[in-house]
Amino acid sequence: MIYGLTDEQTMIADTVRSFVEHEIYPHEELVERTGEVPAEIAQEIKQKTLDLGFYACNFPESVGCAGLNHVEFALVERELGRGSMALNHFFGRPQNILMACEGEQIDRYLMPAVRGERMDALAMTEPGAGSDVRGMKCNAVRDGGDWVVNGTKHFISGADHADFIIVFIATGEDQTPKGPKKRITAFLVDRGTPGFTIRDGYKSVSHRGYKNMILEFDDCRLPDAQVLGEVHGGFEVMNTWLYATRITVATMSVGRARRVFDYALNYAAEREQFGQKIGKFQGVSFQLADMITEIDAADLLTLASADRLDKGLPANREIASAKLFASEMLGRVTDAAIQVHGGMGLMDDYPLERFWRDARVERIWDGTSEIQRHIISRELLRALGA
């Protein structure tokens, strides 16, 4: 990679890429066809990741993990992006906000999560509250020493396999000059808690097998021991992971784009029309040139934003730019790759139509393209006092 990686960083990227090619690719067709990840395959991927020493590699050495920095973890996610999300979910990257666990939460949630003994998921989105997080209606009300929770969350990825969920819930509101402002608290909620139900969500055309679930709370009682961080401190906790998920979307988009590009490049070098390889026609070769230029640009932008985090520099705008550009780049690259393949690009014989479908959601989840543009422009204007 032209970024100038160290030998160790190159080894990390090469190791994960090899893992994806040998342990993820062989199962992709099955998952795409059935929409399910067999339990034995999930366990096999998890165990091999543990054996490799990469499980929970986004966590520090202080809890027995690899302690990769932001650039190194971005490289891991980039290579995982080449494979099925439903399968690489079991490569295991617990939510890093579990580092906010205190007291007995450490032994109940943090340590089992990083050891691969318990899986987590994160829940914020609701039917009426997507980009508008403060619009959430799922609420918790004090009743003695407990919180009584009612409401619904949806689009919750990974909840089908999760042993517990990190849920953001409204716990009151403040009156401000701009009107009521919700107070948000993060809770740790175990599967099987009375009043808490996890059920199947919507059938998506993107990332088959990587299911979204619906969470329902019906007078679900949670003690204070289940609060992650401070009561009403959900936004503070939230800010410790939101940047990480945006970088993940960006890096995975780059990895998937590189795989798609390889298909297009090889096809252009082999397919013949009018007595020559189609790659010799400018209509094709110029598309290849544009594709690789955009991929490299997204890669550099993403790694540079991760590098700023490693250096302790502000990176909110840079991360938003990386997520925006990389996710939209993936849509353009997958579309161009199909154009290079012609009609065959839309056939099930090639995986391109899958990548094309999968690419569409990257511009929506973990902050839409419009939200990223808002973050970027806000940061620019604030610097000028506007």
Side-chain angles (χ1 to χ4, degrees):
M1 174 57 203
I2 56 179
Y3 183 72
L5 302 178
T6 65
D7 290 343
E8 182 178 355
Q9 289 170 336
T10 299
M11 181 186 69
I12 289 171
D14 290 346
T15 300
V16 178
R17 185 182 311 136
S18 177
F19 184 96
V20 171
E21 291 173 350
H22 291 92
E23 308 298 339
I24 302 296
Y25 285 6
H27 305 300
E28 288 182 335
E29 185 179 347
L30 172 65
V31 173
E32 184 68 16
R33 186 175 69 251
T34 65
E36 302 285 344
V37 178
E40 61 274 17
I41 292 177
Q43 183 57 39
E44 178 183 329
I45 292 171
K46 179 190 287 188
Q47 188 57 54
K48 289 183 176 179
T49 306
L50 286 163
D51 294 342
L52 197 63
F54 273 88
Y55 200 92
C57 60
N58 54 320
F59 279 72
E61 294 179 356
S62 62
V63 293
C65 300
L68 301 186
N69 63 29
H70 291 98
V71 168
E72 291 162 350
F73 186 58
L75 294 171
V76 170
E77 295 284 35
R78 185 185 75 188
E79 300 310 321
L80 287 175
R82 293 173 178 267
S84 160
M85 285 195 71
L87 290 161
N88 69 38
H89 174 68
F90 299 98
F91 194 89
R93 291 93 73 210
Q95 300 292 334
N96 60 0
I97 59 172
L98 288 175
M99 287 300 293
C101 285
E102 297 179 347
E104 67 169 8
Q105 293 177 347
I106 295 173
D107 291 329
R108 290 180 60 199
Y109 299 103
L110 172 60
M111 297 311 298
V114 300
R115 290 194 298 255
E117 298 165 1
R118 303 189 75 193
M119 294 197 77
D120 64 303
L122 191 141
M124 186 186 307
T125 303
E126 298 179 8
S131 298
D132 179 16
V133 176
R134 290 194 185 273
M136 66 173 59
K137 293 182 172 60
C138 185
N139 68 92
V141 178
R142 272 289 192 189
D143 183 29
D146 295 337
W147 294 90
V148 180
V149 185
N150 286 281
T152 302
K153 299 287 183 181
H154 77 164
F155 291 159
I156 310 306
S157 303
D160 49 333
H161 299 287
D163 299 291
F164 67 93
I165 319 287
I166 304 160
V167 189
F168 289 85
I169 300 171
T171 49
E173 64 180 28
D174 294 317
Q175 296 300 321
T176 73
K178 295 183 178 180
K181 186 177 181 180
K182 293 282 179 67
R183 296 174 177 172
I184 307 297
T185 302
F187 289 86
L188 297 160
V189 186
D190 291 302
R191 178 184 288 273
T193 298
F196 174 50
T197 304
I198 303 174
R199 63 181 179 88
D200 288 343
Y202 316 99
K203 188 174 181 179
S204 174
V205 301
S206 297
H207 300 299
R208 288 177 180 166
Y210 187 67
K211 299 180 180 179
N212 67 86
M213 309 298 284
I214 295 173
L215 313 184
E216 295 179 338
F217 296 88
D218 184 9
D219 288 335
C220 175
R221 302 186 75 89
L222 299 174
D224 277 334
Q226 301 308 114
V227 172
L228 180 63
E230 299 293 329
V231 172
H232 307 318
F235 274 99
E236 287 74 14
V237 176
M238 194 183 302
N239 288 336
T240 68
W241 71 267
L242 188 56
Y243 71 83
T245 60
R246 296 204 306 262
I247 289 182
T248 292
V249 173
T251 55
M252 283 192 156
S253 293
V254 171
R256 198 165 298 121
R258 289 202 183 280
R259 183 177 177 186
V260 169
F261 175 76
D262 287 343
Y263 281 109
L265 179 64
N266 290 326
Y267 190 81
E270 296 169 2
R271 170 74 166 167
E272 290 191 4
Q273 288 286 277
F274 304 104
Q276 64 179 4
K277 308 294 186 182
I278 63 171
K280 290 185 176 293
F281 295 104
Q282 287 185 350
V284 173
S285 64
F286 281 15
Q287 288 193 76
L288 295 173
D290 288 342
M291 290 163 72
I292 196 60
T293 299
E294 288 206 62
I295 293 170
D296 282 347
D299 207 352
L300 288 168
L301 190 59
T302 303
L303 292 176
S305 67
D307 185 55
R308 287 183 67 85
L309 290 176
D310 284 331
K311 292 175 177 175
L313 299 173
N316 197 37
R317 176 179 66 80
E318 289 80 3
I319 292 169
S321 293
K323 198 275 184 184
L324 170 66
F325 185 76
S327 62
E328 296 198 345
M329 171 277 297
L330 178 60
R332 293 188 291 270
V333 166
T334 52
D335 188 77
I338 287 176
Q339 196 69 19
V340 169
H341 281 76
M344 286 304 298
L346 292 169
M347 301 299 112
D348 286 342
D349 301 71
Y350 289 87
L352 292 177
E353 58 87 21
R354 165 163 59 92
F355 296 131
W356 188 48
R357 286 186 284 104
D358 291 349
R360 188 59 186 87
V361 74
E362 309 300 339
R363 288 179 272 165
I364 297 173
W365 60 12
D366 291 298
T368 64
S369 288
E370 290 73 24
I371 289 296
Q372 305 312 314
R373 288 185 168 93
H374 171 70
I375 292 171
I376 296 163
S377 59
R378 183 185 61 193
E379 293 278 326
L380 293 171
L381 290 167
R382 276 181 177 174
L384 299 178

